[in-house]
């Protein structure tokens, strides 16, 4: 069975959020809510990606710091937006942890969306029919914290 296209998978996750939409900008696919960017796909052909496919997610600086220290081969500080806390996630190599990435994208959406949409998302999360789960967000934080502690950085 061939692996799923990471761009399609990324789109499925991002577009599951209320009022999320895709916009092509700077030669890349961006994911937005109310026209504010919460994630950017960087294709391997672009000058943004160092020849590797990735996604950049809006994040708090503390999240970026934890991820970069916990798994520096999986996460990186992206150009342009990295100094503001955004985190890059490599999508190549077949070792993408999609559950963790979904949690990061959920956090990125929550940081960007208006309060009304975040409240709408909270209602969706309470429903078992939702494509978006709070478990992904909780799992991301717990996994990263465990890895940092195991490495003696916490």
């Amino acid at each position: 069975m061939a692996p799923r296209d990471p761009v399609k998978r990324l789109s499925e996750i991002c577009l599951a959020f209320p009022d999320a939409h895709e916009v092509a900008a700077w030669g890349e696919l961006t994911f937005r809510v109310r026209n504010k960017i919460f994630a950017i796909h960087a294709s391997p052909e672009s000058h943004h990606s160092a020849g590797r496919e990735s996604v950049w997610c809006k994040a708090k600086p503390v999240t970026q710091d934890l991820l970069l220290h916990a798994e520096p081969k999986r996460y990186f500080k992206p150009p342009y937006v990295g100094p503001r806390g955004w985190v890059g996630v490599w999508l190549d190599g077949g070792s993408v942890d999609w559950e963790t990435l979904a949690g990061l994208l959920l956090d990125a959406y929550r940081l960007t969306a208006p309060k009304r949409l975040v409240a709408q998302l909270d209602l969706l999360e309470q429903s078992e029919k939702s494509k978006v789960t709070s478990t992904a967000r909780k799992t991301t934080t717990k996994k990263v914290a465990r890895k940092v502690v195991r490495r003696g950085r916490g």
Side-chain angles (χ1 to χ4, degrees):
M1 181 177 183
R4 287 182 58 196
D5 177 11
V7 177
K8 286 182 183 177
R9 204 160 178 186
L10 183 63
S11 291
E12 287 172 3
I13 295 168
C14 291
L15 297 178
F17 304 131
D19 282 2
H21 58 283
E22 297 174 342
V23 175
W26 312 291
E28 302 293 352
L29 189 59
T30 63
F31 298 94
R32 303 170 183 230
V33 57
R34 299 283 167 88
N35 216 27
K36 293 183 180 179
I37 300 172
F38 66 90
I40 303 170
H41 174 260
S43 62
E45 298 82 27
S46 84
H47 68 280
H48 298 117
S49 65
R52 295 182 68 187
E53 187 168 26
S54 64
V55 62
W56 306 350
C57 306
K58 186 173 187 175
K60 293 181 179 179
V62 67
T63 302
Q64 181 196 64
D65 189 53
L66 281 170
L67 291 170
L68 295 181
H69 284 97
E71 294 188 69
K73 291 183 180 180
R74 182 173 294 185
Y75 303 105
F76 65 96
K77 183 187 271 191
Y80 313 112
V81 293
R84 287 178 279 168
W86 286 56
V87 64
V89 183
W90 297 119
L91 296 178
D92 56 0
S95 64
V96 179
D97 181 344
W98 286 99
E99 184 178 320
T100 299
L101 180 54
L104 289 172
L105 292 165
L106 175 60
D107 287 345
Y109 175 87
R110 285 179 171 280
L111 288 170
T112 309
K115 290 179 184 179
R116 184 183 63 77
L117 290 178
V118 172
Q120 185 179 343
L121 181 65
D122 290 340
L123 290 173
L124 284 173
E125 285 182 332
Q126 292 172 8
S127 167
E128 291 183 355
K129 297 176 185 175
S130 173
K131 292 180 183 178
V132 181
T133 66
S134 60
T135 304
R137 188 175 72 245
K138 292 174 187 171
T139 301
T140 299
T141 305
K142 288 178 185 177
K143 278 183 175 181
V144 169
R146 279 195 299 263
K147 288 178 183 180
V148 169
V149 169
R150 277 196 301 250
R151 291 194 172 154
R153 296 183 191 261

